[in-house]
Amino acid sequence: MIDSRTVGITKYQAFCTILAAIGSFNFGWNIGSVNIPGDVLQNCVTGRKYYGPFPSCIDISSGTIWGVIVGCYALGALFGAVISNYFIDRRGYKFVLTWFALCNVVGALLLSLTTSVAQFIIGRIVVGIAAGAANNALSTYVSDMTTPRGRNVLGGGVQFACNLGIMLDNAIALGLAPAPRWRILFALTGVFGLINFVLFPFASESPKWLVSKGRFEEAREALQKFRQGTDIEAEFKEMVETDKANKERTDDVNVFQVLRGQTPDNLRHQLLCVTALMFFQQLCGINAVIFYSTSIINKSTQDDPANIPTLAQILTF
């Protein structure tokens, strides 16, 4: 048998990565979901009607309130990322990626059946929690289960899924923006979440997480699934030794020591570089384009926003 450390991408790795990528795709979907139907939701440009108990729009006269609706998704994601650390540490990546996906189902029900601004805001927060938890777990999960040969491709695929989610959401929104079809657009995020919830139990836990918890037999079994048809003994031994060495060196390390450069390996430079990258990524204004491009372009084209799809919506896509 060949050494497992030299193997590329196996079918089981690809399967588990696709499941993780659905969470990333859903994150992108919800980022873009309020952009194209924004005028219908906010300004009732197609007229206010009722379809049973459900209004055609939520009629938000204040731009500030609309900004809160858009921004509370990010607040939910922040909360989800923070609280998911507790569950990752105690229950594992698989638990988080499985059970937090249900937040997408709950959020989708709130959004697609919304009758008020408050309900819509709560729905955005709930799907944000799901997105924050998924993004906190999925990249490390994919990194842990792959070999160096497959890590760049599979890890890049997960990141690509987020952008694909934004693009497909905008494409589908061209047909689903009018009332009451925009409700279907928001309901679809629950379908993706349900797929994750149903299929992720068939994925294996991260072998590195299992080793860190002393569950060596389970870790060996999981690693063997990810490295089908290869000899895993050398890689497994290396994984155990690396985990032991890391624990001995970083047992009492906290974030303040990292910031002061007082860790065995000085990680302050890496931390500051990553933090600065994330900060300037937001500061560059890309989120304004993702969330508000339809409204911005509409002011230039002066199209009738009731004639969906407008030129602004098409250019947004």
Side-chain angles (χ1 to χ4, degrees), residues 44-300:
C44 295
V45 293
T46 56
R48 189 172 180 84
K49 305 173 186 176
Y50 278 86
Y51 302 87
F54 305 112
S56 60
C57 59
I58 49 179
D59 195 11
I60 303 163
S61 56
S62 170
T64 301
I65 295 177
W66 181 250
V68 170
I69 289 175
V70 172
C72 65
Y73 176 67
L75 291 177
L78 175 63
F79 181 70
V82 172
I83 63 171
S84 65
N85 284 318
Y86 172 86
F87 293 100
I88 289 172
D89 182 57
R90 285 158 179 77
R91 303 300 298 272
Y93 296 98
K94 180 179 173 180
F95 177 89
V96 168
L97 291 169
T98 301
W99 288 98
F100 273 80
L102 284 180
C103 288
N104 280 313
V105 179
V106 175
L109 289 172
L110 289 168
L111 291 169
S112 61
L113 301 177
T114 190
T115 57
S116 66
V117 173
Q119 182 179 342
F120 199 79
I121 289 175
I122 294 171
R124 288 284 289 173
I125 291 173
V126 172
V127 294
I129 290 172
N135 278 275
N136 190 34
L138 59 86
S139 294
T140 306
Y141 175 75
V142 171
S143 177
D144 283 357
M145 74 177 182
T146 53
T147 60
R149 283 184 59 190
R151 191 164 296 143
N152 288 339
V153 173
L154 295 181
V158 168
Q159 299 305 315
F160 172 76
C162 176
N163 295 317
L164 181 64
I166 297 172
M167 185 187 76
L168 288 183
D169 176 85
N170 285 333
I172 293 172
L174 292 175
L176 295 181
R181 295 199 297 267
W182 57 262
R183 294 180 181 275
I184 300 174
L185 189 69
F186 290 105
L188 287 173
T189 186
V191 175
F192 305 135
L194 195 59
I195 291 172
N196 262 151
F197 179 73
V198 171
L199 294 182
F200 234 110
F202 296 99
S204 293
E205 181 56 86
S206 159
K208 291 184 179 179
W209 183 86
L210 291 168
V211 166
S212 72
K213 300 303 177 183
R215 296 159 61 176
F216 298 113
E217 286 307 313
E218 293 176 66
R220 186 189 296 274
E221 291 175 8
L223 186 61
Q224 189 65 72
K225 283 186 177 181
F226 288 125
R227 309 287 189 268
Q228 295 163 340
T230 64
D231 181 5
I232 65 168
E233 291 306 316
E235 182 179 5
F236 183 72
K237 181 180 179 182
E238 182 181 281
M239 191 179 293
V240 172
E241 291 174 350
T242 300
D243 179 72
K244 182 180 178 181
N246 287 339
K247 285 180 177 177
E248 290 174 352
R249 298 172 64 192
T250 61
D251 190 41
D252 297 322
V253 171
N254 57 53
V255 67
F256 298 106
Q257 288 173 305
V258 174
L259 291 172
R260 290 194 294 262
Q262 296 173 344
T263 55
D265 291 322
N266 190 347
L267 302 176
R268 179 172 57 184
H269 178 72
Q270 292 93 319
L271 176 64
L272 292 177
C273 286
V274 172
T275 302
L277 175 63
M278 296 295 102
F279 176 80
F280 286 111
Q281 183 185 46
Q282 301 305 308
L283 193 64
C284 74
I286 185 60
N287 283 342
V289 176
I290 295 172
F291 290 132
Y292 297 109
S293 60
T294 300
S295 299
I296 294 170
I297 298 173
N298 253 338
K299 293 177 180 178
S300 301

Side-chain angles (χ1 to χ4, degrees), residues 36 293-295 297-298 301 303 309-317:
I36 288 180
S293 60
T294 300
S295 299
I297 298 173
N298 253 338
T301 60
D303 284 348
T310 64
L311 177 60
Q313 291 170 335
I314 296 171
L315 290 176
T316 292
F317 166 66

